[in-house]
Amino acid sequence: MESSTPSPFENPAAWTGREMSKTADWIYQLSNAEVDDALRVAAAVRSAGTKVTSLERNAVPLGTLANAARQWREVLHRGRGFVLVRGLPVGRMSESEAAAVYWLLGRELGSPVPQNFAGELLTDIRDTGADPDDPSTRLYKTKAEQDFHTDGADIIGLLCLKTSRTGGQSRIVSSVTVYNEVLRRRPDIAPQLFEDFHWHYFEPQMPAPMHFARPICSRRGEALNTAFIPWYIRRAQELPDVPAMTSAQTAAIETMEQTANDASLYLDMEFQPGDVQWLKNAVILHKRTAYQDWDEPERKRHLLRLWLAAPDFEDGDEQLRRGITMDAAR
């Protein structure tokens, strides 16, 4: 449990959607030279025939893309905390080639960590028909809405290969701004966010549900780190050895959700094939709206996700940046 007197945080990661919607500075359009380098890398990995997740960081020189990745990383580390890279030529690559280029770009930003107990480092994001109401279902395997939340690791990446027929919009919000607004609107409950909440975690590879305690908000020097998956916290209440949440804790979670869903604060992104979204987990909450998919299997929505550890990110979390392992949940 962290003892802290909350106060507003002022840094470049404290933006609003209203501000960001007036500019395209957060979109990085790949240049012709960068597209050419992406195609060169794809050809090189095709010739090598190496498994995507076995590719080391310097397996293929990225050329101009390496310089671009350094710029993205600086924005994540010390800037607004997100960037949308547009124009990766996935239509001119096989799916495995696109995955390899994406993987190597991610290796420039951080080290991949497991996203589930199966140890997956590169995860398919698509509807598998799983029941979103089953406690063991990870919502990325469904087409249901995912409300605002964080993931594991320091950097979260998504590569769009195919889009849905309708819906599936990416929506992000600054968790720094959300906290500042909660503090302004409800200063009486804001301190609760720095106290421990019990979290539930369960997936099919596990013999039984587990739970752990951690705060939603934590100070990291002069910065703020936020970890927030409200349905994991609510599901923990179903476990017999978890104490009941107080009314103040319940109000704190609800206020976080309501504030994050304020249309003046969040920013919407319409993914296109070849878009890559990079998010800094400590300062961004993300959401996906529900979607309707295509009937044809070859057209169905398909994204690839990376979780990356970046230990030099001072506002990161030592527990989360290890990804999902039995040890990391303790």
Side-chain angles (χ1 to χ4, degrees):
M1 182 173 66
E2 177 176 336
S3 176
S4 177
T5 302
S7 57
F9 291 83
E10 297 181 6
N11 57 55
W15 49 267
T16 68
R18 180 182 288 128
E19 297 165 349
M20 289 297 165
S21 64
K22 297 176 182 177
T23 178
D25 290 348
W26 47 273
I27 300 175
Y28 185 100
Q29 180 70 48
L30 292 180
S31 67
N32 291 337
E34 290 161 347
V35 169
D36 288 344
D37 273 330
L39 292 170
R40 175 184 53 77
V41 171
V45 297
R46 179 174 64 248
S47 299
T50 307
K51 182 182 177 183
V52 170
T53 54
S54 297
L55 289 167
E56 297 295 336
R57 178 182 175 187
N58 297 316
V60 181
L62 294 180
T64 57
L65 287 172
N67 295 329
R70 283 191 284 272
Q71 296 178 49
W72 309 336
R73 198 178 195 281
E74 184 64 19
V75 170
L76 296 173
H77 190 183
R78 297 186 174 89
R80 74 181 80 89
F82 74 96
V83 61
L84 180 68
V85 179
R86 178 150 282 169
L88 195 68
V90 296
R92 300 163 67 184
M93 306 174 184
S94 69
E95 186 176 299
S96 63
E97 290 165 2
V101 175
Y102 171 53
W103 171 267
L104 290 170
L105 288 173
R107 292 300 305 265
E108 289 294 306
L109 303 180
S111 302
V113 297
Q115 301 179 40
N116 52 39
F117 275 100
E120 283 187 333
L121 298 177
L122 184 62
T123 300
D124 293 296
I125 306 297
R126 53 188 168 193
D127 179 31
T128 65
D131 180 2
D133 295 322
D134 185 329
S136 70
T137 295
R138 302 278 294 279
L139 288 179
Y140 69 79
K141 296 184 176 184
T142 77
K143 55 187 176 184
E145 178 178 285
Q146 289 179 283
D147 205 356
F148 281 110
H149 63 287
T150 54
D151 281 352
D154 292 304
I155 299 170
I156 311 303
L158 285 175
L159 165 64
C160 178
L161 295 172
K162 297 174 184 176
T163 59
S164 58
R165 182 163 61 86
T166 60
Q169 191 170 48
S170 175
R171 182 169 291 171
I172 66 170
V173 67
S174 163
S175 52
V176 183
T177 297
V178 169
Y179 168 73
N180 288 344
E181 276 296 297
V182 171
L183 177 61
R184 184 182 68 82
R185 299 175 186 184
R186 291 294 306 273
D188 56 319
I189 63 168
Q192 290 293 321
L193 298 171
F194 292 84
E195 305 293 332
D196 276 346
F197 287 77
H198 287 269
W199 297 55
H200 170 287
Y201 189 75
F202 186 42
E203 59 176 272
Q205 293 87 354
M206 298 172 57
M210 64 186 299
H211 80 270
F212 54 93
R214 61 164 298 128
I216 292 170
C217 292
S218 304
R219 288 185 181 275
R220 297 287 187 270
E222 298 301 314
L224 176 71
N225 175 286
T226 299
F228 188 57
I229 309 180
W231 52 94
Y232 281 12
I233 297 173
R234 291 189 174 107
R235 281 179 178 166
Q237 294 295 295
E238 301 169 6
L239 301 177
D241 54 344
V242 171
M245 281 196 295
T246 66
S247 58
Q249 286 179 313
T250 300
I253 292 175
E254 291 175 349
T255 305
M256 279 282 290
E257 291 173 312
Q258 292 164 3
T259 305
N261 280 285
D262 184 330
S264 69
L265 301 185
Y266 65 68
L267 176 68
D268 282 339
M269 296 184 186
E270 290 284 356
F271 283 165
Q272 302 173 11
D275 282 355
V276 182
Q277 181 193 69
W278 301 112
L279 306 177
K280 184 180 184 182
N281 199 47
V283 300
I284 302 288
L285 300 176
H286 61 280
K287 173 178 181 171
R288 186 200 67 204
T289 63
Y291 66 90
Q292 294 297 317
D293 225 337
W294 301 96
D295 293 330
E296 303 90 337
E298 69 277 7
R299 297 183 69 186
K300 289 185 179 295
R301 185 182 190 268
H302 187 194
L303 282 70
L304 293 177
R305 186 175 67 191
L306 281 172
W307 285 3
L308 304 168
D312 58 315
F313 283 17
E314 300 83 0
D315 50 359
D317 185 284
E318 288 298 331
Q319 180 189 42
L320 294 178
R321 66 167 44 119
R322 288 175 280 167
I324 294 180
T325 64
M326 189 64 73
D327 177 64
R330 294 190 179 113

